[in-house]
C-alpha cells in the first residue's frame, strides 16, 4: 500500500504547522499554522480509515473540520480584538500576563 | 397519764422542739418585715408550740418514771421475734433499773468512707446499722423494727417496762454488744444526729422553752420600735433553737455544733446595738473569750473520741468511763480540757470577764443568756458527761479537785464583785457568775442532783431578776445606774418591786423560796456538816459556799435598797411597765416560789405530814439511770443526807448578812434620803479597805491582764516580728518571684519569641516569597513560549510512551 506516503505528508505538514505556531509572530499566521496541524491529523485519520477499510476515521475527520471552523471563528475574533486594542497582531507583544 | 403510743410519739419526735424555733428563724428572716407584728408573732407562735411540746414531754417523762416505780408488778407485753405477745412480769428491782434510761433516736447525719452497704455489719438486730440498711427513710429510727430485736436481750425488755409494755419505742442503742453506728460501719467515719431524752434534757427542754417564751413576750414591749426588731426576734428564735439542739445532743459532735451555734447567737444578740463601740466590743469579747475555752472543748472531745474507741456517742462514752474501759488518767486529761470550755462558757474564773460585759445586749437577751441558754451550757455539758468528770477528777472520797476549786473561787470572787457595781444589770451578771460557780462547785463535789437542781431553780429567779431590772430601766428612761437614776421605785412600780423581792429572796436562799432548797442541797453535798454523808469532805468548797450564801444576801439587799428604797434620784416621774412586761415577771416570781418544793428532803416532808411521795421528786425525775448505770454502779456518786441544822445555820447567815446591809442603808437614808454612800465612811478612812475596794472595782485587774498584759504584751513584739517577717521574708519572696519573672520574661522575649518563633514565621514568609520569585520567571506572557513548553512536554511524554512502554 501507499500508506507511508500519506503518513509522511501528514508528518511534514504537522512539522510545518508546529514550526509556524512556534516561530511566527503574526497572529493570523499562527492560526493558519494551527490549521496545518489539524489538517495533518485529518490526513492521518482518512489514510488509516482507507487503509483499514473503516469509516470511523473519516467521520472523525469531518468532526475535526467542523471544530476547526469554529475554532478559527473564535481565534480570528480574538485576533481582531487584539488588533483593535493595540493596532498590531504581533503575538510577542501581547504579553500582559507576564509575571 | 398518757397512752403508750402518745408517749412514744412524743419521745421520738422531740426533735420538733428545736426544729420549730429554727423554722421560725428562717421564716422571720424572709417574711418578718412584711408581717403586721414584724415577725414577733412567728417567734412567739413557734415558741408556744415548742413549749407545749416540752410540757407534754416533761409530763410524759414524769409519767414514764412514776409508772416504772409504781407499776412494777404489772404484767407487760413484749413482742417476740415471731410477733407473739409474751406477758412478762418484772420485779420491782428490774423496773427500778430501767427507770430514767435515756431514749435515743438517731439518724445518720453524714459519713465519710466506704459505702455502708458494702461493709460487713455487726450482728443483725443489735446494731443501729442493721436497721439503716433496711432502706428506710432517714427520718425513721429503729422504731417498728422490733422483729429484728433479740428477744433474749434483757436490757431491751426492761426498757419496755416504763411504757406499759410498748418496747418498740425504745432501743438501747448502746447495749453491751450493740455498737454505735460509727463502729458498726468498720472504717466508715459516720456522725449521727439525734435526740437523747432523759431527765436532764427534759428538764432543760422545759426551762429553755419556758424562759424563752416569757422573754419573747417581754421583748415585744421592751424592744418595741427598735430598728432591728425583726432581726432581734429572728436571733431570739435561733438562740432558743440552738440551745435546744445542744440540750438534745446524742453525740459530742452534735454538742459541739450546738455549743458553737449558741455562741454565735449570743454574739449577734449581745452586739444587737452595735452602733456603739462598747456594745460591739462586748460582743467580740464574749465571742473571743469563748474561743479560748473552745480549744479545750475540741481537745477534750477529741481525746474522748479516741479513748472511747472512735465514737462520738455520749452514752457510750459515759458507759465506757463508768466501767473503767477508759483509763482514769485519760479521763483526767479530757476533763481538764473540757473544764476550760466550761470556764469560758459558764463564766468561771478566770474566763468570766466576758459575762458582765455581755450586759451590753438588750435586757431580755441577758435574761435568756443568764437563765436558760448560753451560760448554763457549760454546766449542762458537765452533767452530760458527768462520769468523765466524776471519775477523771476523782471526786469520790476526795477533799478538793479542780472543778470544785474553780467553782468555789468563782462563786466567792463573782459575789465580791457584785458589791461594787453601780449598774443593776452588772450586779445581776456577777451574781450569775457567782451562782454558776455554785453549780460547778456542786458538781465538783459530786452533788450532781444539787447542781442540776440549782441550775433549774436559778433559771427562774435569775430570769425574774433580769426582767425585773429591765422593767426598772424601762421606767427610769433606759438607765441602769442604780446610784444616779434609781431609788424609791417601790412606790412607783409595785409589781416590779414585789417580783424583784421574791427573785432576790430566792437568790439569797431565804426559805421557802426556790434558791433555799437548791443551795441547801449543795451545802449538804460538801459532806462536811456532821451526819450528811456525801462523796467526800470538801472543807474549802464548803467554806466558799457558806461565804457566798452570806454575800449573796448582802449584795442583793444592797441592790434592792439602792433601787427601790430611799428617794427617787433620777429625772422625770418613773412609771410601772406595761402588762407584757409585768406578766412574765409575775409568772417567774410564782415559779421562783414553787419550784423549790420539787426537791424537798424526805425529812421535811415527814415533818409536815405531807405524803412521802412528794419528797425529792426532782432527784427521781432528773438523775441519770439505766444506760449510763452511773447511779447504781459501785463508783457512782452517793447522795448526801439533808441536815436541818445546816439549813438553819445557812439561812441565819444569809439573813444576818442581808440584815446588816439593810441596817447600813436605813441608817444612811435616815441621814440623807438621797445619799447612796457615806461621804466619810470606812472606805475613805482606812487605806487598806480603799485598796481592796479599788481592787474589786477594777475587777481583780483581770481585764487589764488580758487586754494590757497578755494582748498588749504579745501585740507589740508580735507586730514587730510580723513586720520583720513581712519586710524580709515575704517581701523577699515576692521580690524574688518578681525578679525571676522579669528575667524569665526577657529570656522568652529575646530568645524564644524573637529568634525561634519569629524565625519560623519570617522563614515561612520568605520561602513562599522566594518560591514565587522563582516561578515568576516562567510566567513570561509569551504564548509561543507556552506553546513550546507544551509541545516539548508532549514530545517527551510521547517519547516515554514509545520507548519506555
Amino acid at each position: 500500500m501507499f500508506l507511508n506516503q500519506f503518513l509522511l505528508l501528514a508528518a511534514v505538514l504537522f512539522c510545518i504547522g508546529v514550526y509556524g505556531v512556534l516561530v511566527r509572530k503574526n497572529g493570523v499566521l499562527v492560526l493558519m499554522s494551527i490549521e496545518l496541524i489539524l489538517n495533518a491529523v485529518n490526513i492521518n485519520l482518512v489514510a488509516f480509515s482507507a487503509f483499514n477499510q473503516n469509516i470511523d476515521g473519516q467521520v472523525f475527520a469531518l468532526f475535526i473540520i467542523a471544530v476547526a471552523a469554529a475554532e478559527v471563528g473564535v481565534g480570528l475574533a480574538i485576533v481582531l480584538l487584539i488588533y483593535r486594542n493595540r493596532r498590531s497582531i504581533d503575538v510577542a507583544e501581547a504579553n500582559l500576563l507576564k509575571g | 397519764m398518757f397512752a403508750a403510743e402518745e408517749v412514744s410519739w412524743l419521745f421520738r419526735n422531740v426533735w420538733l422542739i428545736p426544729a420549730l424555733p429554727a423554722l421560725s428563724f428562717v421564716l422571720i428572716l424572709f417574711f418578718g418585715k412584711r408581717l403586721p407584728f414584724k415577725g414577733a408573732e412567728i417567734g412567739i407562735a413557734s415558741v408556744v408550740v415548742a413549749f407545749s411540746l416540752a410540757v407534754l414531754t416533761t409530763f410524759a417523762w414524769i409519767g414514764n418514771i412514776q409508772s416504772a416505780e409504781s407499776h412494777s408488778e404489772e404484767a407487760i407485753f413484749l413482742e417476740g421475734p415471731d410477733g407473739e405477745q409474751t406477758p412478762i412480769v418484772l420485779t420491782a428491782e428490774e423496773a427500778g433499773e430501767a427507770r430514767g434510761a435515756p431514749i435515743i433516736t438517731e439518724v445518720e447525719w453524714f459519713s465519710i468512707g466506704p459505702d455502708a452497704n458494702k461493709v460487713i455489719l455487726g450482728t443483725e438486730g443489735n446494731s443501729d446499722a442493721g436497721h439503716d440498711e433496711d432502706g428506710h427513710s432517714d427520718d425513721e429510727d429503729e422504731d417498728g423494727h422490733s422483729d429484728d430485736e433479740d428477744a433474749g436481750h434483757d436490757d431491751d425488755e426492761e426498757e419496755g417496762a416504763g411504757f406499759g409494755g410498748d418496747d418498740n419505742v425504745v432501743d438501747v442503742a448502746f447495749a453491751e454488744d450493740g455498737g454505735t453506728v460509727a463502729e458498726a460501719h468498720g472504717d466508715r467515719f459516720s456522725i449521727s444526729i439525734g435526740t437523747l431524752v432523759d431527765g436532764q434534757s427534759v428538764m432543760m427542754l422545759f426551762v429553755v422553752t419556758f424562759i424563752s417564751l416569757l422573754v419573747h413576750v417581754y421583748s415585744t414591749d421592751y424592744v418595741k420600735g427598735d430598728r432591728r426588731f425583726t432581726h432581734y426576734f429572728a436571733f431570739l428564735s435561733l438562740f432558743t433553737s440552738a440551745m435546744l439542739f445542744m440540750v438534745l445532743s446524742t453525740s459530742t459532735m452534735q454538742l459541739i455544733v450546738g455549743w458553737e451555734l449558741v455562741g454565735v447567737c449570743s454574739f449577734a444578740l449581745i452586739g444587737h446595738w452595735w452602733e456603739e463601740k462598747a456594745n460591739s466590743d462586748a460582743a467580740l469579747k464574749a465571742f473571743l473569750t469563748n474561743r479560748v475555752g473552745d480549744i479545750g472543748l475540741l481537745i477534750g472531745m477529741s481525746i474522748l473520741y479516741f479513748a472511747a474507741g472512735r465514737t462520738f456517742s455520749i452514752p457510750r462514752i459515759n458507759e465506757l468511763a463508768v466501767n473503767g474501759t477508759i483509763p482514769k488518767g485519760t479521763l483526767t486529761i479530757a476533763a481538764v480540757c473540757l473544764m476550760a470550755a466550761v470556764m469560758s462558757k459558764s463564766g468561771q474564773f478566770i474566763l468570766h470577764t466576758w459575762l458582765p460585759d455581755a450586759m451590753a445586749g438588750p435586757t431580755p437577751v441577758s435574761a435568756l443568756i443568764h437563765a436558760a441558754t448560753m451560760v448554763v451550757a457549760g454546766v449542762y455539758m458537765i452533767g452530760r458527761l458527768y462520769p468523765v468528770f466524776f471519775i477523771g477528777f476523782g471526786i469520790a472520797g476526795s477533799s478538793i479537785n479542780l472543778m470544785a476549786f474553780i467553782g468555789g473561787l468563782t462563786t466567792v470572787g463573782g459575789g465580791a464583785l457584785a458589791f461594787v457595781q453601780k449598774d443593776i444589770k452588772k450586779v445581776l451578771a456577777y451574781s450569775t457568775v457567782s451562782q454558776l460557780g455554785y453549780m460547778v462547785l456542786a458538781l465538783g463535789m459530786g452533788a450532781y442532783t444539787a447542781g442540776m437542781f440549782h441550775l433549774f431553780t436559778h433559771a427562774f429567779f435569775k430570769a425574774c431578776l433580769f426582767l425585773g431590772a429591765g422593767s426598772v430601766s424601762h421606767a427610769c428612761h433606759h438607765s441602769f445606774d442604780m446610784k444616779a437614776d434609781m431609788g424609791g421605785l417601790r412606790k412607783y412600780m409595785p409589781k416590779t418591786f414585789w417580783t424583784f423581792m421574791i427573785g432576790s429572796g430566792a437568790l439569797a436562799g431565804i426559805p421557802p423560796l426556790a434558791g433555799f432548797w437548791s443551795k441547801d442541797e449543795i451545802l449538804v453535798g460538801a459532806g462536811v456538816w456532821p451526819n450528811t454523808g456525801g462523796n467526800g469532805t470538801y472543807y474549802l468548797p464548803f467554806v466558799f459556799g457558806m461565804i457566798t450564801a452570806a454575800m449573796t444576801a448582802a449584795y442583793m439587799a444592797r441592790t434592792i435598797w439602792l433601787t427601790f428604797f430611799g428617794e427617787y434620784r433620777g429625772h422625770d416621774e418613773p412609771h410601772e411597765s406595761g402588762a407584757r412586761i409585768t406578766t412574765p415577771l409575775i409568772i417567774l416570781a410564782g415559779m421562783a416560789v414553787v419550784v423549790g418544793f420539787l426537791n424537798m428532803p424526805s425529812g421535811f416532808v415527814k415533818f409536815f405530814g405531807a405524803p412521802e411521795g412528794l419528797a425529792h421528786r426532782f432527784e427521781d425525775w432528773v438523775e441519770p439511770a439505766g444506760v449510763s448505770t452511773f447511779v447504781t454502779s459501785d463508783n457512782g456518786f452517793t447522795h448526801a443526807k439533808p441536815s436541818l441544822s445546816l439549813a438553819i445555820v445557812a439561812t441565819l447567815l444569809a439573813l444576818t448578812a442581808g440584815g446588816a446591809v439593810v441596817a447600813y442603808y436605813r441608817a444612811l437614808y435616815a441621814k440623807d434620803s438621797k445619799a447612796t454612800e457615806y461621804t466619810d465612811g470606812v472606805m475613805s478612812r482606812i487605806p487598806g479597805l480603799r485598796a481592796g475596794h479599788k481592787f474589786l472595782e477594777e475587777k481583780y485587774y483581770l481585764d487589764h491582764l488580758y487586754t494590757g498584759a497578755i494582748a498588749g504584751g504579745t501585740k507589740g513584739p508580735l507586730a514587730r516580728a510580723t513586720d520583720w517577717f513581712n519586710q524580709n521574708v515575704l517581701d523577699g519572696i515576692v521580690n524574688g518571684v518578681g525578679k525571676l519573672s522579669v528575667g524569665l520574661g526577657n529570656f522568652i522575649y529575646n530568645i524564644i519569641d524573637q529568634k525561634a518563633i519569629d524565625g519560623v514565621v519570617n522563614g515561612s514568609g520568605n520561602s513562599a516569597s522566594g518560591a514565587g520569585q522563582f516561578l515568576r520567571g516562567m510566567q513570561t506572557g509569551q504564548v509561543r513560549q507556552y506553546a513550546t513548553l507544551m509541545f516539548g512536554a508532549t514530545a517527551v511524554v510521547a517519547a516515554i510512551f514509545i520507548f519506555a512502554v
Side-chain angles (χ1 to χ4, degrees), chain B residues 337-606:
Chain B
C337 292
L338 293 177
M339 204 52 215
V342 173
M343 280 162 72
S344 69
K345 202 66 153 189
S346 290
Q348 300 297 299
F349 264 53
I350 51 178
L351 294 177
H352 70 286
T353 55
W354 67 272
L355 216 152
D357 285 26
M359 293 300 106
T363 310
V365 171
S366 306
L368 193 59
I369 288 182
H370 287 243
T373 56
M374 187 77 185
V375 295
V376 296
V379 178
Y380 183 82
M381 193 261 282
I382 300 181
R384 258 286 160 260
L385 292 167
Y386 199 54
V388 172
F389 289 95
F390 192 85
I391 296 163
F393 283 137
I395 287 172
S398 163
S399 65
I400 191 71
N401 61 55
L402 182 68
M403 200 198 294
F405 181 71
I406 286 176
L409 197 64
T410 308
T411 191
V412 174
L417 287 178
F419 277 104
V420 296
Q421 303 301 321
K422 281 187 301 194
D423 185 323
I424 185 169
K425 273 177 81 180
K426 292 230 163 141
V427 174
L428 296 178
Y430 281 114
S431 113
T432 305
V433 170
S434 175
Q435 297 303 309
L436 287 167
Y438 233 88
M439 296 172 207
V440 173
L441 175 78
L443 292 168
M445 299 186 306
Y448 169 88
T449 318
M452 283 297 144
F453 189 48
H454 197 58
L455 193 165
F456 181 70
T457 56
H458 174 258
F460 296 106
F461 57 72
K462 189 47 68 64
C464 176
L465 288 173
F466 264 110
L467 296 183
S471 171
V472 166
S473 114
H474 211 57
C476 298
H477 313 282
H478 297 282
S479 167
F480 289 104
D481 193 330
M482 293 191 293
K483 288 193 172 174
D485 297 315
M486 293 182 190
L489 291 173
R490 175 172 48 111
K491 284 164 277 182
Y492 302 100
M493 34 201 329
K495 286 180 190 163
T496 308
F497 168 66
W498 282 111
T499 52
F500 202 88
M501 280 294 280
I502 293 171
S504 305
L507 176 60
I510 309 296
L513 304 173
F516 165 72
W517 304 101
S518 52
K519 179 178 291 184
D520 191 51
E521 218 174 309
I522 292 173
L523 292 173
V524 160
V528 171
W529 205 260
N531 302 323
T532 48
N535 291 287
T537 42
Y538 287 89
Y539 291 110
L540 186 62
F542 178 76
V543 172
F544 279 144
M546 289 301 264
I547 293 172
T548 306
M551 280 202 308
T552 310
Y555 67 67
M556 283 321 289
R558 170 182 177 267
T559 307
I560 288 174
W561 246 259
L562 280 177
T563 310
F564 291 104
F565 288 84
E567 286 288 310
Y568 181 58
R569 293 180 292 271
H571 54 87
D572 298 338
E573 187 84 340
H575 54 89
E576 178 64 287
S577 309
R580 276 179 291 171
I581 286 184
T582 51
T583 312
L585 286 178
I586 293 166
I587 295 172
L588 284 167
M591 290 301 273
V593 174
V594 297
V595 289
F597 294 109
L598 280 177
N599 208 23
M600 291 181 290
S602 48
F604 180 84
V605 174
K606 272 185 207 145

